Amino acid sequence: MQPIPEMPAETSALPHALFDAYAHLAWRAMLTEVNLSPKPGLVDRLNCGAHKDMALADFHRSALAIQAWLPRFIEYGACCAQLPAEAVLNGLRPLGMACEADMFRATAGVNTHKGSIFSLGLLCAAIGRLHQHRQAITAETLCATAATFCRGLTERELRQNNQQLTAGQRLFKQLGLTGARGEAEAGYPLVIRHALPHYRTLLAQGRDPELALLDTLLLLMTINGDTNVASRGGAQGLRWLQQHARTLLQKGGMRTPADLDDLYQFDRQCIARNLSPGGSADLLIVTWFLAQIPHVKHLHNY
């Protein structure tokens, strides 16, 4: 494991049991997503999707490597709770980069969870900050707090200093997609306004949890300007994927195991077109994580 960047001075005793409970949920969110099957174009228990360089075991090793860092993100958010929100991201970056280094070491250089390190790192830091401020920790407050950390991010890294060195910067220049940065800066609207209510509603209706998650993934695929898809298939590939997911939802989505036949076919088509909706998978991880947040409330002890 990488050495841990220096933390700011603690402002009060940190509740490690509580923070570990949230961190455990974030780790489970990564495992829940990758084990979910079948997922169009994505690595799952059945195949490697459109990926030739990664498999299920890589994601399991990656999640385990990241797990050790998740409480650190929460602690950082708590320790720097007195800083202006806009200053938090600078301190989070070294933590995120050290976490990434451990991920790459665990996977022999394969990028399995870089997007999740970004999103879960932000949300975990938001947990620490909200706890320190004695504010409610909910899906909505977490996403709003993460947004304050990222204020000005797309302007700085996509509009102004865009050297097109990363895939995200190139796709912003070419197609105007803001990717993970834009979604975080906006407070995860695709999750808060769409995916999370959809998932909660399906569960409340008694839908099988795996089918509910697959249905929610389809919803995300219809509305997300997924930079992973666009980097592989351009604007045309992204439009095709969005339309295909929309068609399946209009047919009724994933209601019963029989509906999975449509997903198997969709998976084969995504593999043939070399399309992988990794950005939507990252947002599904965020969705599942936020859906579990209420279950940690009983640990709060103010």
Side-chain angles (χ1 to χ4, degrees), residues 2-300:
Q2 289 282 305
I4 298 161
E6 189 175 337
M7 294 281 184
E10 291 191 10
T11 51
S12 66
L14 299 179
H16 291 288
L18 177 64
F19 288 179
D20 286 346
Y22 282 118
H24 184 71
L25 276 184
W27 170 66
R28 282 182 57 203
M30 289 184 284
L31 292 182
T32 298
E33 182 278 322
V34 76
N35 289 330
L36 185 67
S37 309
K39 297 192 303 289
L42 293 160
V43 173
D44 57 27
R45 296 194 314 271
L46 305 173
N47 61 44
C48 299
H51 298 275
K52 296 177 176 64
D53 62 341
M54 60 182 78
L56 186 67
D58 293 311
F59 281 83
H60 288 174
R61 284 193 293 269
S62 171
L64 195 60
I66 293 165
Q67 181 184 21
W69 288 94
L70 295 167
R72 301 290 179 188
F73 290 121
I74 302 177
E75 288 173 16
Y76 189 85
C79 290
C80 65
Q82 302 314 312
L83 289 178
E86 295 87 345
V88 172
L89 193 59
N90 275 343
L92 270 180
R93 281 189 192 277
L95 276 177
M97 289 168 66
C99 179
E100 270 183 30
D102 273 355
M103 173 198 76
F104 282 124
R105 191 171 296 106
T107 62
V110 177
N111 173 14
T112 42
H113 281 120
K114 193 169 180 177
S116 289
I117 292 171
F118 177 67
S119 56
L120 293 176
L122 286 171
L123 293 168
C124 283
I127 288 170
R129 186 178 183 89
L130 287 169
H131 183 274
Q132 206 67 25
H133 287 167
R134 305 244 189 277
Q135 293 175 334
I137 296 174
T138 67
E140 291 73 20
T141 59
L142 285 177
C143 290
T145 303
T148 65
F149 296 161
C150 297
R151 199 171 289 144
L153 184 60
T154 51
E155 182 68 29
R156 287 193 306 273
E157 296 189 5
L158 295 179
R159 288 192 176 86
Q160 291 179 350
N161 304 309
N162 190 340
Q163 305 301 312
Q164 299 184 63
L165 299 177
T166 69
Q169 289 174 326
R170 286 193 298 275
L171 289 165
F172 177 78
K173 200 82 168 176
Q174 294 162 9
L175 303 175
L177 299 175
T178 58
R181 293 177 182 91
E183 187 65 11
E185 187 177 358
Y188 293 98
L190 296 184
V191 173
I192 290 294
R193 296 178 196 163
H194 302 281
L196 187 59
H198 185 78
Y199 179 54
R200 285 171 169 164
T201 297
L202 293 180
L203 291 181
Q205 292 171 351
R207 185 81 56 98
D208 173 84
E210 285 231 335
L211 292 174
L213 264 187
L214 288 168
D215 203 82
T216 304
L217 176 61
L218 283 176
L219 175 64
L220 283 166
M221 288 165 65
T222 67
I223 57 179
N224 183 28
D226 196 318
T227 53
N228 291 58
V229 176
S231 67
R232 287 167 169 257
Q236 186 178 358
L238 180 58
R239 277 194 301 271
W240 175 85
L241 184 114
Q242 290 174 328
Q243 184 54 54
H244 204 98
R246 190 174 297 115
T247 298
L248 292 189
L249 283 178
Q250 288 167 349
K251 283 178 62 178
M254 298 296 108
R255 291 165 300 188
T256 70
D259 295 318
L260 294 177
D261 288 342
D262 289 327
L263 271 192
Y264 287 117
Q265 185 180 355
F266 194 9
D267 186 32
R268 288 191 291 271
Q269 291 170 306
C270 285
I271 292 170
R273 291 170 180 257
N274 194 35
L275 299 178
S276 173
S280 295
D282 288 341
L283 293 177
L284 191 69
I285 290 172
V286 171
T287 302
W288 188 90
F289 175 61
L290 293 177
Q292 309 308 312
I293 288 293
H295 303 316
V296 186
K297 281 184 176 173
H298 70 278
L299 281 171
H300 278 272

